[in-house]
Amino acid sequence: TEPVISEIIPNPASTTATIKFAVPSTQLVTIELIDQLGNMVSTLSNSVFEGNIINNIDVTLNSSIASGLYSIRLTASGNSIVKTIAIVK
């Protein structure tokens, strides 16, 4: 089974956001902020998370990140899922 991003709250976000996601088993999860050109702007998390539950991670969107549409890319066990986030400063 693949990872799932269930929710990004708030969206649009300005300074912080909570990402809710699930992975099928306990494993290393990388969460990245990607701009519209496909460039990785920031690694938001690179940690082991428990499987088969809804995980929550609170992230800080630092002040150098400009307003615009971005993607949150979650990668676990070689599988990636992407969800859009709007950042408004």
Side-chain angles (χ1 to χ4, degrees):
T1 328
E2 306 217 351
V4 174
I5 298 174
S6 61
E7 211 170 6
I8 301 171
I9 304 169
N11 193 0
S14 60
T15 56
T16 61
T18 300
I19 301 167
K20 296 184 176 195
F21 66 94
V23 290
S25 60
T26 299
Q27 59 192 285
L28 178 65
V29 175
T30 303
I31 302 173
E32 299 167 314
L33 185 67
I34 310 295
D35 68 16
Q36 289 185 315
L37 300 175
N39 300 310
M40 198 263 298
V41 175
S42 177
T43 299
L44 303 174
S45 180
N46 190 29
S47 302
V48 174
F49 288 92
E50 192 172 339
N52 295 316
I53 65 165
I54 298 293
N55 292 283
N56 294 315
I57 181 168
D58 295 321
V59 296
T60 300
L61 304 167
N62 92 37
S63 59
S64 67
I65 298 171
S67 295
L69 288 179
Y70 292 82
S71 296
I72 299 287
R73 179 172 59 204
L74 184 148
T75 305
S77 294
N79 294 311
S80 292
I81 187 158
V82 175
K83 196 156 192 168
T84 302
I85 183 171
I87 297 178
V88 180
K89 297 290 181 159

